[in-house]
Amino acid sequence: NAGVTQTPKFRILKIGQSMTLQCTQDMNHNYMYWYRQDPGMGLKLIYYSVGAGITDKGEVPNGYNVSRSTTEDFPLRLELAAPSQTSVYFCASSYLDSTDTQYFGPGTRLTVL
Amino acid sequence: AQKVTQAQTEISVVEKEDVTLDCVYETRDTTYYLFWYKQPPSGELVFLIRRNSFDEQNEISGRYSWNFQKSTSSFNFTITASQVVDSAVYFCALSERSYNTDKLIFGTGTRLQVFP
């Protein structure tokens, strides 16, 4: 049981490049979330999903897209990378909604130059 | 608006000292959940505790204890006899669930440094 896995662990992008951050969970959780963590700050919600085929915006969705075609996978896409997207990205999952415990992946550290 | 405040940015203690991390929250909801997470230097987020708004009993787990006081909207975390391995950033979080959102609201974290 791997829990929540994220790839890659680190990535450097040039301004304007695109990439997809992968997230997979093997706990059969319904809910999945993407957060970003900027230095000295807490986590901010980018997007979340309550189940396959359903996604919703969080607090800071601009510049990102998501999809949820299966229960297990919740990729996050950056279309035109900007320096403001330099951050650590965490994927999380929970069986129920935000009142339930969320389990986090190890994070992806992204730098946009 | 819903909010979580962790006023202590950084705390330094010497091993074996007790330390309390403060968390104050604001919410419109009558039912809500509070969480604490630990982020060690390796960077992952480790779940510590989940508490619902109807349960005001204090909780103890080994050297960790939590004091939930609805009257002051606080959910403080105490580490007894701190150890170097407790050095980490600790986050308090509050559930927010409404017709158009479903998320955790995180505080900005308290960095705890435990020196030998």
Side-chain angles (χ1 to χ4, degrees):
Chain A
N1 193 335
V4 180
T5 57
Q6 291 182 238
T7 56
K9 284 190 168 48
F10 304 93
R11 185 74 187 268
I12 298 175
L13 283 182
K14 293 183 181 175
I15 294 172
Q17 285 185 322
S18 300
M19 78 164 293
T20 298
L21 281 65
Q22 301 291 346
C23 175
T24 300
Q25 54 92 8
D26 63 1
M27 296 175 281
N28 203 32
H29 283 170
N30 296 310
Y31 284 69
M32 295 187 76
Y33 305 83
W34 275 106
Y35 293 90
R36 59 177 286 171
Q37 182 182 23
D38 298 322
M41 304 293 289
L43 281 70
K44 298 262 191 239
L45 183 66
I46 305 171
Y47 271 96
Y48 67 101
S49 168
V50 305
I54 307 170
T55 62
D56 243 318
K57 294 179 181 178
E59 300 169 85
V60 290
N62 291 344
Y64 307 95
N65 276 304
V66 293
S67 59
R68 182 107 181 261
S69 56
T70 66
T71 300
E72 295 78 20
D73 299 306
F74 190 40
L76 177 72
R77 179 125 182 110
L78 284 70
E79 289 295 348
L80 290 170
S84 60
Q85 293 177 306
T86 294
S87 190
V88 181
Y89 292 84
F90 287 98
C91 179
S93 72
S94 60
Y95 187 63
L96 297 175
D97 57 34
S98 60
T99 62
D100 195 10
T101 300
Q102 293 183 21
Y103 294 93
F104 286 80
T108 294
R109 184 175 295 274
L110 175 68
T111 302
V112 182
L113 300 173
Chain B
Q2 324 270 73
K3 190 178 173 183
V4 174
T5 302
Q6 295 181 256
Q8 304 151 309
T9 308
E10 192 160 335
I11 301 175
S12 295
V13 299
V14 177
E15 226 176 0
K16 296 185 184 167
E17 279 186 38
D18 299 347
V19 58
T20 296
L21 310 182
D22 298 332
C23 173
V24 174
Y25 62 92
E26 295 173 32
T27 181
R28 297 178 295 265
D29 298 339
T30 51
T31 302
Y32 52 89
Y33 283 73
L34 293 158
F35 302 81
W36 276 93
Y37 282 87
K38 174 182 179 179
Q39 188 174 40
S42 50
E44 74 273 23
L45 280 149
V46 178
F47 164 73
L48 294 177
I49 189 170
R50 167 179 177 258
R51 172 55 57 87
N52 77 53
S53 52
F54 293 108
D55 182 3
E56 289 196 66
Q57 279 203 341
N58 290 339
E59 178 143 350
I60 298 174
S61 175
R63 294 184 298 107
Y64 296 171
S65 63
W66 290 268
N67 180 261
F68 176 37
Q69 294 204 338
K70 228 168 163 178
S71 59
T72 55
S73 297
S74 65
F75 187 42
N76 297 337
F77 172 33
T78 297
I79 302 175
T80 303
S82 59
Q83 299 176 2
V84 172
V85 293
D86 297 326
S87 296
V89 180
Y90 291 87
F91 291 98
C92 180
L94 167 70
S95 65
E96 179 181 6
R97 194 162 170 267
S98 68
Y99 73 95
N100 66 346
T101 193
D102 194 334
K103 65 184 181 188
L104 285 182
I105 300 167
F106 283 83
T108 51
T110 297
R111 180 178 299 278
L112 174 65
Q113 293 199 56
V114 182
F115 293 99

